């Protein structure tokens, strides 16, 4: 559509045009109900089918069986920062956190309010330019769980391979790279992701839990923070964010239609290469924040020789139909978020703009 820009915002972020068009067509009269998806009861058959299919599609894409549940909750990943220790950090135990950026720091901060914690590794001393090496990770004696953040939106780093720690339950915040590539989801006791970066609109948080973790949930914490309650009620304990879940359902369907996670990874690698190649070809003008072996396929972060040039870059890019390229305030510079729904044409347009901007200003 000629009036749409290429949206490089970090979140809320770009959604597949096909998904938006399907939602638009269904919005006033969902599946012959005579009502919008925003109006129908969450107890109705029409909505329950959406909810059930979204769980099934998530598990299919990740290769998970009946020993996992998929929940659709509210409060964003930030609420999970507290819910996780409330459910899985018993008194006297220790939870281990691997720090790779701002969001893992925030997860640790919430856990520190609720129990004993241990920083198993951190790359803060290098301004989070890289993911820690396995030999740098030092666990506590018997952690209740180990928490990591798979992709760091602000710093543009991403785990290339996930670690395993024996019997210690591994929990991951995958908000910004969820379903962007194949990985062994059975390594994880829990995965959670705010939808608004790579899955759908804001308002719903995807939580994937192994059944044995659900069975650990204590009975003496607030009901809305109990995973076992939400699992028992199939994410319908309270009124869910129906429209957001519906949109995630459409995105999951789109992912399956377009080849699943293997095809998405190939596409994402090709898109990221277009932008990183421009950065690497002009090291005196473009400077990538992340070390090459830790680079994210979802968030490309880079600087220019001066802040004035960076401001000029954002202004001219916006005028050229390339939106959302300003970097996060804690890092500065520029950031291109190129999630699953960003078409290759968008990354090609950005790469071409970068080359021309360097030619005029380098």
């Amino acid at each position: 559509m000629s009036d749409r820009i290429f949206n490089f915002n970090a979140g809320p972020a770009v959604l597949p045009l096909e998904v938006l068009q399907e939602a638009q067509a269904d919005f006033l009269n969902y599946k012959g109900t005579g009502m919008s998806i925003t109006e129908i009861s969450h107890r109705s058959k029409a909505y329950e089918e959406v909810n059930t299919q979204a769980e099934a599609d998530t598990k299919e894409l990740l290769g998970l069986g009946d020993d996992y549940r998929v929940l659709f909750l509210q409060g964003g990943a930030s609420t999970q920062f507290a819910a996780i220790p409330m459910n899985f950090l018993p008194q006297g135990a220790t939870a281990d956190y691997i720090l790779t950026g701002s969001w893992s720091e925030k997860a640790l901060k919430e856990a520190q309010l609720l129990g004993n914690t241990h920083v198993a590794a951190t790359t803060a001393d290098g301004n989070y330019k890289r993911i820690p090496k396995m030999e740098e990770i030092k666990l506590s004696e018997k952690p209740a769980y180990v928490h990591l953040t798979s992709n760091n939106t602000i710093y543009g780093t991403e785990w290339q391979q996930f670690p395993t720690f024996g019997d210690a339950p591994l929990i991951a915040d995958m908000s910004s790279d969820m379903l962007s590539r194949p990985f062994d989801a059975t390594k994880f006791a829990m995965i959670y992701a705010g939808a608004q970066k790579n899955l759908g609109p804001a308002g719903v948080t995807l939580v994937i839990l192994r059944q044995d973790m659900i069975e650990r949930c204590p009975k003496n914490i607030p009901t809305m923070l109990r995973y076992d309650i939400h699992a028992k009620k199939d994410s319908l304990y309270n009124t869910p964010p129906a429209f957001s879940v519906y949109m995630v359902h459409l995105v999951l369907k789109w992912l399956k239609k377009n080849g699943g996670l293997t095809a998405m990874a190939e596409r994402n690698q090709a898109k990221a290469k277009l932008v990183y190649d421009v950065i690497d070809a002009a090291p005196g003008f473009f400077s990538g924040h992340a070390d090459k072996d830790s680079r994210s396929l979802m968030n490309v972060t880079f600087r220019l020789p001066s802040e004035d040039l960076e401001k000029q870059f954002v202004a001219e890019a916006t005028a050229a139909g390339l939106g959302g390229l300003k970097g996060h305030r804690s890092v500065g510079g520029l950031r291109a978020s190129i999630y699953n729904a960003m078409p290759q044409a968008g990354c090609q347009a950005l790469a071409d703009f970068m080359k021309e901007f360097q030619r005029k200003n380098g």
Side-chain angles (χ1 to χ4, degrees), residues 282-287 302-318 325-327 332-335 353-362:
F285 190 75
F286 296 112
S287 174
F302 58 101
R303 301 297 305 258
L304 296 183
S306 71
E307 290 187 8
D308 286 343
L309 266 181
E310 290 168 351
K311 291 176 182 177
Q312 181 184 338
F313 182 99
V314 170
E316 292 184 13
T318 301
L325 288 164
K326 183 179 179 181
L334 304 158
R335 171 175 59 181
F353 176 83
M354 291 168 69
K355 291 175 186 176
E356 180 62 14
F357 189 85
Q358 183 213 353
R359 187 190 68 79
K360 292 190 298 184
N361 299 282

Side-chain angles (χ1 to χ4, degrees), residues 277-343:
D277 280 355
V278 177
I279 293 171
D280 292 340
F285 190 75
F286 296 112
S287 174
H289 177 78
D291 288 355
K292 288 186 179 181
D293 62 359
S294 295
R295 280 175 167 173
S296 169
L297 294 182
M298 298 286 98
N299 309 98
V300 181
T301 51
F302 58 101
R303 301 297 305 258
L304 296 183
S306 71
E307 290 187 8
D308 286 343
L309 266 181
E310 290 168 351
K311 291 176 182 177
Q312 181 184 338
F313 182 99
V314 170
E316 292 184 13
T318 301
L322 308 172
L325 288 164
K326 183 179 179 181
H328 191 274
R329 60 186 177 277
S330 63
V331 176
L334 304 158
R335 171 175 59 181
S337 296
I338 51 176
Y339 302 120
N340 285 347
M342 173 59 66

Side-chain angles (χ1 to χ4, degrees), residues 32-340:
T33 62
M35 296 176 288
S36 169
I37 188 70
T38 62
E39 297 175 303
I40 65 175
S41 169
H42 62 292
R43 305 294 182 192
S44 68
K45 182 180 179 182
Y47 179 74
E48 288 184 2
E49 286 176 351
V50 169
N51 191 76
T52 300
Q53 192 61 49
E55 175 169 10
D57 286 346
T58 301
K59 290 167 72 170
E60 180 183 340
L61 284 162
L62 291 172
L64 295 174
D66 291 340
D67 53 338
Y68 282 84
R69 290 300 311 271
V70 178
L71 308 177
F72 302 101
L73 307 180
Q74 297 173 68
S78 296
T79 296
Q80 298 307 308
F81 297 163
I84 290 166
M86 290 178 79
N87 280 273
F88 304 131
L89 180 54
Q91 188 174 6
T94 299
D96 286 14
Y97 282 75
I98 300 172
L99 303 186
T100 52
S102 299
W103 296 110
S104 53
E105 285 182 350
K106 290 179 179 181
L108 171 65
K109 185 177 180 180
E110 292 297 291
Q112 288 172 331
L113 299 173
L114 297 161
N116 299 324
T117 62
H118 167 72
V119 175
T122 178
T123 53
D125 58 351
N127 198 22
Y128 293 125
K129 289 179 179 287
R130 64 182 182 88
I131 298 296
K133 297 178 172 59
M134 271 300 297
E135 58 267 24
E136 297 177 89
I137 302 173
K138 308 298 182 184
L139 300 185
S140 60
E141 185 175 348
K142 192 176 180 182
Y145 59 82
V146 181
H147 180 284
L148 61 81
T149 304
S150 62
N151 183 79
N152 300 285
T153 320
I154 292 173
Y155 297 94
T157 62
E158 185 174 27
W159 288 83
Q160 307 303 304
Q161 294 182 324
F162 292 118
T164 54
F165 301 108
D167 294 334
L170 183 59
I171 295 176
D173 176 359
M174 294 192 179
S175 292
S176 54
D177 66 346
M178 185 63 179
L179 302 181
S180 65
R181 54 181 172 158
F183 67 97
D184 184 359
T186 64
K187 283 184 175 184
F188 294 88
M190 177 178 176
I191 296 167
Y192 64 102
Q196 68 275 10
K197 296 178 184 294
N198 214 30
L199 294 173
V204 64
T205 306
L206 181 74
V207 172
I208 302 169
L209 273 168
R210 204 170 60 205
Q211 190 64 42
D212 66 292
M213 297 296 284
I214 294 172
E215 293 165 2
R216 296 185 192 186
C217 298
K219 306 296 188 286
N220 62 342
I221 63 173
T223 304
M224 280 297 292
L225 295 171
R226 283 177 54 180
Y227 297 119
D228 58 334
I229 294 292
H230 290 293
K232 182 179 179 181
K233 299 296 184 180
D234 297 323
S235 303
L236 299 173
Y237 172 77
N238 67 315
T239 306
F243 181 74
S244 295
V245 177
Y246 160 73
M247 291 296 289
V248 170
H249 159 63
L250 295 187
V251 170
L252 295 169
K253 188 169 68 170
W254 175 82
L255 281 166
K256 289 172 60 179
K257 177 182 176 181
N258 285 277
L261 304 193
T262 299
M264 206 54 55
E266 292 172 358
R267 176 172 150 164
N268 288 332
Q269 288 162 2
K271 291 187 309 185
K273 186 176 187 301
L274 287 170
V275 184
Y276 283 124
D277 280 355
V278 177
I279 293 171
D280 292 340
F285 190 75
F286 296 112
S287 174
H289 177 78
D291 288 355
K292 288 186 179 181
D293 62 359
S294 295
R295 280 175 167 173
S296 169
L297 294 182
M298 298 286 98
N299 309 98
V300 181
T301 51
F302 58 101
R303 301 297 305 258
L304 296 183
S306 71
E307 290 187 8
D308 286 343
L309 266 181
E310 290 168 351
K311 291 176 182 177
Q312 181 184 338
F313 182 99
V314 170
E316 292 184 13
T318 301
L322 308 172
L325 288 164
K326 183 179 179 181
H328 191 274
R329 60 186 177 277
S330 63
V331 176
L334 304 158
R335 171 175 59 181
S337 296
I338 51 176
Y339 302 120
N340 285 347

